[in-house]
């Protein structure tokens, strides 16, 4: 079993080189989230059009007494509820899409690390396998982050009691505590999706496994975390030079930059995300205590014959 | 098999814990730079440009301006020389601590006096190499963009960030080659590049680890400053109906302003002191020990 971070990074790169198809789930995930956001925007506009249309008809038709618009407020409640429902629905849709593609990505990464090969057909199999557990874990992680807002309760209490300076003091302290809490919680739970998929655990067990693995491997986890951030920041610096250079061009610079942003997003999906997933999956396997290493051979009723040596490999 | 990056970090940390004296060169370097800046500013303000009560001449004195510039340039060179001395000394101390397990202040003077000119030359060379492409490529591009109604400021800034990061990564090990192995400036640059080429992953990991450790440890002074500001704010005489009564009570307004300024100033002081202490006593010596250890364990590969 590999233990050196250097070996994990090298192995991850080599596996990615042989399995460019690993970029497909993040790419599809990004597209589906984009589509969901556009659909949400369209739905919200539709709800707004219906509400304001009814309002205009009511005002024009004398539905409200002249100059008295207090009746509008009760009429706005269904509009607000409809907007909240649309927002909640699309948040759930986006979380589900993310969970599906994260599950697919990590499952395929695990298979590629274990067998050396994965393929596009694995997306649906691995996507469905741990989607609900990752979705539940995402909700729990959101709730854990939201719990950080409790740090502001003393400030609110002081404000309600009329102690303005105490309220501002507690607000600053609450902000300091919130930043520290969110950063530390994010780091402690960083391995959750990998423990769920690579260790085949439930949502709560995944959170626990991430916590215990991080606590037992503080330095390696921080090292991996910095390595991932460094990789992203390194390419980010190069991208910034190009985008700022294009941005300096009058008139067409903005349009050229839109193209560059799209290209960078594709590069991110095809390289940065898959390689990061490979690294963290391998890291989890090599560092988690008593890890149940689940076989990621995909069961098949119709085993495909071994490809001949001359057959070209098609990854995308 | 060469030592893993985790082992280098752990062992380096243990060496630093046993030799907290490794922070001394960085503290002295910062203090010396502060003294030089203070002297230069005092000379410019009080000797070269004495502002009397009657100062009727408002025309630009180019001779004086040149003298000001020359003095500030000399101060800059002096700061670079002094920091080169302490940097070489710190690397020498760290290398000795890695080799023998303990160190004192003697290697600081020994390595500092022996290698400071090479480190100074390296710093100047790298600064020129960072700025030159920005001047040659970035400034004309920015001027052309400006002529056509665009703005090139962001491009210049990003190019500068890119160049300093690139050269910082490529030649991170050069000072260690110069001080520990007694290499010349160009050989030091070459050795650093070869070390990166042959030990890509651990080299880059070490660089990234040092960079982000610096960034995240800077949260500590920020949090400390925030806490001090928050505690000081308890003494600020604020109340809910203050805004209606403030205009009628100038003393109350003055009190408020004074205590607010005090809280802010104390917070800032804690922040500056915290950044200085964390940087000079923790981050700089730790990264120096790690790089010294990494260089000592891997320097054979550049000779192959």
């Amino acid at each position: 079993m590999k233990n050196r971070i250097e070996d994990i990074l090298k192995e991850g790169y080599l596996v990615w080189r042989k399995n460019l198809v690993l970029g497909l789930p993040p790419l599809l995930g990004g597209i589906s989230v984009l589509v969901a956001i556009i659909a949400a925007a369209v739905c919200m506009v539709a709800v707004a059009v219906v509400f304001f249309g009814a309002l205009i008809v009511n005002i024009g038709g004398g539905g409200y007494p002249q100059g008295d618009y207090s009746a509008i407020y009760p009429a706005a409640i269904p509009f607000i509820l409809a907007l909240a429902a649309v927002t909640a629905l699309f948040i759930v849709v986006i979380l589900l899409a993310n969970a599906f593609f994260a599950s697919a990505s990590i499952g395929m990464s695990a298979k590629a690390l274990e067998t050396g090969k994965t393929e596009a057909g694995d997306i649906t199999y691995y996507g469905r396998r741990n989607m609900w557990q990752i979705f539940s874990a995402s909700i729990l992680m959101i709730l854990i982050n939201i719990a950080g807002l409790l740090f502001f309760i003393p400030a609110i209490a002081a404000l309600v009691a009329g102690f303005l300076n105490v309220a501002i003091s507690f607000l600053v302290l609450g902000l300091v505590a919130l930043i520290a809490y969110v950063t530390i919680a994010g780091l402690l739970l960083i391995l959750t999706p990998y423990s769920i998929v690579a260790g085949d655990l439930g949502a709560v067990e995944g959170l626990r496994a991430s916590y215990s693995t991080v606590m037992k491997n503080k330095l390696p986890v921080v090292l991996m975390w910095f390595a991932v951030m460094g990789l992203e920041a390194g390419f980010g610096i190069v991208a910034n030079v190009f985008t700022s250079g294009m941005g300096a061009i009058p008139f067409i610079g903005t349009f050229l930059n839109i193209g560059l942003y799209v290209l960078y997003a594709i590069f991110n999906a095809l390289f940065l995300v898959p390689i990061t997933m490979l690294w963290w999956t391998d890291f989890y396997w090599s560092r988690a205590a008593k890890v149940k290493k689940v076989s990621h051979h995909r069961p098949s009723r119709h085993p495909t014959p071994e490809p001949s040596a001359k057959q070209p490999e098609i990854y995308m | 098999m060469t030592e893993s990056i985790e082992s280098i970090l752990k062992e380096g940390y243990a060496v630093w814990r046993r030799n907290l004296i490794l922070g001394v060169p960085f503290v002295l370097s910062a203090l010396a730079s502060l003294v030089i800046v203070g002297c230069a500013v005092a000379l410019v303000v009080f000797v070269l440009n004495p502002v009397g009560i009657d100062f009727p001449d408002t025309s630009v004195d180019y001779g004086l301006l040149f003298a000001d510039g020359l003095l500030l340039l000399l101060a800059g060179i002096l700061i670079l020389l002094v920091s080169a001395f302490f940097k070489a000394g710190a690397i020498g101390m760290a290398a000795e601590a890695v080799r023998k397990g303990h160190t004192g202040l003697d290697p600081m003077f020994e390595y500092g006096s022996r290698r400071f000119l090479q480190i100074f030359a390296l710093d100047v060379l790298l600064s020129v190499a960072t700025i030159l492409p920005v001047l040659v490529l970035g400034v004309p591009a920015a001027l052309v963009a400006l002529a056509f109604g665009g703005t090139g400021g962001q491009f210049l800034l990003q190019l500068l960030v890119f160049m300093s990061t690139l050269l910082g990564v490529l030649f991170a090990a050069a000072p260690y080659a110069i001080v520990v192995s007694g290499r010349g400036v160009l050989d030091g640059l070459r050795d650093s590049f070869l070390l990166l080429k042959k030990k890509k992953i651990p080299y880059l990991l070490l660089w990234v680890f040092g960079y982000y450790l610096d960034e995240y440890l800077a949260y500590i002074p920020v949090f400390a400053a925030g806490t001090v500001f928050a505690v000081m704010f308890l003494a600020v005489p604020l109340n809910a109906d203050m805004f209606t009564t403030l205009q009628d009570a100038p003393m109350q307004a003055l009190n408020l302003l004074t205590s607010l300024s005090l809280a802010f100033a104390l917070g800032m002081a804690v922040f500056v002191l915290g950044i200085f202490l964390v940087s000079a006593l923790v981050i700089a010596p730790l990264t120096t020990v790690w790089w010294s250890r990494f260089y000592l364990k891997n320097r054979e590969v550049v000779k192959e």
Side-chain angles (χ1 to χ4, degrees):
Chain A
M1 189 177 278
K2 294 180 293 292
N3 260 323
R4 290 158 63 108
I5 303 279
E6 296 94 310
D7 296 337
I8 290 173
L9 300 187
K10 196 173 172 185
E11 172 87 3
Y13 174 71
L14 293 175
V15 170
W16 172 79
R17 281 276 304 271
K18 286 186 215 143
N19 295 278
L20 296 180
V21 71
L22 283 167
L24 210 51
L27 192 66
L28 293 174
I31 292 169
S32 59
V33 167
L34 197 69
V35 169
I37 289 171
I38 292 169
V42 169
C43 284
M44 281 177 183
V45 169
V47 170
V49 166
V50 169
F51 170 73
F52 286 111
L55 196 68
I56 289 164
V57 168
N58 260 329
I59 292 171
Y64 299 114
Q66 192 67 35
D68 178 20
Y69 295 117
S70 58
I72 292 175
Y73 301 122
I77 290 173
F79 168 66
I80 292 164
L81 285 177
L83 269 189
V86 168
T87 310
L89 177 74
F90 278 100
I91 286 174
V92 170
V93 167
I94 288 170
L95 282 177
L96 275 172
N98 270 335
F100 177 83
F101 287 109
S103 176
S105 256
I106 300 169
M108 286 168 74
S109 300
K111 186 187 171 193
L113 283 165
E114 201 183 1
T115 66
K117 192 95 186 80
T118 186
E119 54 205 21
D122 292 333
I123 293 177
T124 45
Y125 173 73
Y126 290 111
R128 277 190 309 222
R129 210 172 87 157
N130 298 95
M131 180 178 86
W132 290 107
Q133 288 90 331
I134 290 193
F135 173 73
S136 314
S138 307
I139 304 248
L140 287 174
M141 283 159 84
I142 290 171
L143 291 176
I144 288 169
N145 277 322
I146 288 174
L149 294 176
L150 293 175
F151 289 118
F152 291 119
I153 285 181
I156 295 166
L159 192 68
V160 171
F163 300 111
L164 198 56
N165 56 342
V166 178
I168 292 174
S169 178
F170 282 159
L171 188 73
V172 174
L173 287 175
L175 198 66
V176 166
L178 180 71
I179 294 169
Y181 169 79
V182 169
T183 309
I184 292 168
L187 192 57
L188 287 172
L189 303 178
I190 201 165
L191 287 170
T192 305
Y194 306 94
S195 58
I196 288 174
V197 180
D200 204 21
L201 300 173
V204 178
E205 289 95 336
L207 291 168
R208 273 199 202 132
S210 175
Y211 173 80
S212 62
T213 310
V214 172
M215 288 306 283
K216 281 176 193 147
N217 295 277
K218 291 182 199 79
L219 176 66
V221 166
V222 171
L223 192 55
M224 276 292 288
W225 190 42
F226 285 172
V228 170
M229 282 199 295
L231 184 78
E232 288 164 358
F235 285 108
I237 288 172
V238 177
N240 281 343
V241 172
F242 283 105
T243 51
S244 60
M246 294 294 171
I249 301 172
F251 315 120
I252 55 164
T254 312
F255 299 104
L256 289 173
N257 262 345
I258 292 171
L260 275 180
Y261 287 131
V262 171
L263 274 180
Y264 190 73
I266 293 171
F267 169 74
N268 192 48
L270 295 182
F271 174 67
L272 292 179
V273 177
I275 205 163
T276 305
M277 298 235 168
L278 281 165
W279 287 347
W280 280 118
T281 307
D282 207 4
F283 179 84
Y284 177 76
W285 267 344
S286 68
R287 299 294 171 131
K290 295 178 193 165
V291 62
K292 183 176 72 175
K293 187 172 177 178
V294 179
S295 175
H296 283 77
H297 282 290
R298 182 184 167 191
S300 172
R301 284 186 196 174
H302 310 289
T304 47
E306 284 291 311
S308 68
K310 285 182 183 173
Q311 191 178 339
E313 288 180 329
I314 300 164
Y315 297 114
M316 295 287 291
Chain B
M1 190 181 269
T2 52
E3 190 178 19
S4 74
I5 196 75
E6 272 179 73
S7 168
I8 286 175
L9 294 176
K10 278 182 187 162
E11 294 298 323
Y13 176 78
V15 166
W16 169 72
R17 281 287 302 272
R18 285 196 302 268
N19 297 276
L20 294 178
I21 199 170
L22 285 164
V24 170
F26 299 102
V27 174
L28 291 177
S29 178
L31 290 178
S33 301
L34 209 64
V35 169
I36 295 168
V37 169
C39 290
V41 170
L43 273 174
V44 168
V45 173
F46 297 114
V47 180
L48 290 176
N49 305 284
V51 182
I53 296 167
D54 300 319
F55 196 68
D57 187 10
T58 52
S59 63
V60 179
D61 183 345
Y62 288 104
L64 198 62
L65 213 60
F66 177 74
D68 288 347
L70 193 69
L71 186 76
L72 290 177
L73 183 72
L74 281 174
I77 291 171
L78 197 60
I79 288 174
L80 274 181
L81 277 168
V82 167
S83 64
F85 173 86
F86 286 114
K87 193 171 167 182
I91 293 172
M93 282 172 75
E96 189 174 273
V98 168
R99 275 194 291 243
K100 297 179 183 168
H102 58 86
T103 188
L105 283 177
D106 289 346
M108 182 179 85
F109 295 107
E110 188 191 328
Y111 284 95
S113 55
R114 220 187 316 148
R115 308 303 298 168
F116 82 97
L117 272 177
Q118 284 84 347
I119 294 288
F120 169 74
L122 177 77
D123 286 346
V124 171
L125 197 67
L126 287 181
S127 303
V128 171
T130 304
I131 295 166
L132 207 62
V134 179
L135 290 177
V136 173
L137 278 172
V139 172
L143 287 174
V144 170
L146 203 66
F148 285 96
T151 50
Q154 188 64 19
F155 176 57
L156 282 181
L157 183 72
Q158 295 300 339
L159 200 59
L160 198 66
V161 170
F162 171 75
M163 282 309 298
S164 61
T165 311
L166 180 71
L167 295 178
V169 173
L170 282 178
F171 304 120
Y176 301 87
I178 289 171
V179 177
V180 178
S181 297
R183 308 283 280 165
V185 177
L186 293 179
D187 286 337
L189 292 170
R190 181 186 150 275
D191 281 8
S192 180
F193 180 71
L194 284 178
L195 194 60
L196 170 61
K197 204 173 151 193
K198 295 196 174 171
K199 292 276 168 191
K200 284 181 206 76
I201 296 177
Y203 185 107
L204 290 172
L205 268 177
L206 189 55
W207 191 88
V208 161
F209 192 81
Y211 178 83
Y212 280 111
L213 189 74
D214 191 7
E215 197 166 286
Y216 278 90
L217 283 187
Y219 274 114
I220 295 171
V222 173
F223 288 168
T227 308
V228 167
F229 179 76
V231 171
M232 289 298 295
F233 210 91
L234 289 173
V236 175
L238 273 186
N239 51 57
D241 58 345
M242 165 200 80
F243 298 105
T244 53
T245 59
L246 209 57
Q247 53 192 359
D248 306 325
M251 278 312 289
Q252 200 184 340
L254 191 68
N255 262 345
L256 181 69
L257 199 67
T258 312
S259 42
L260 260 178
S261 309
L262 194 67
F264 186 73
L266 260 173
M268 278 305 288
V270 167
F271 172 71
V272 172
L273 189 71
I275 284 279
F276 170 69
L277 289 177
V278 168
S279 175
L281 294 178
V282 183
I283 297 166
L286 252 178
T287 44
T288 309
V289 170
W290 286 331
W291 275 102
S292 298
R293 189 175 183 90
F294 178 70
Y295 180 75
L296 281 168
K297 297 277 172 184
N298 293 289
R299 65 174 164 177
E300 293 307 315
V301 298
V302 297
K303 290 178 187 164
E304 286 164 8

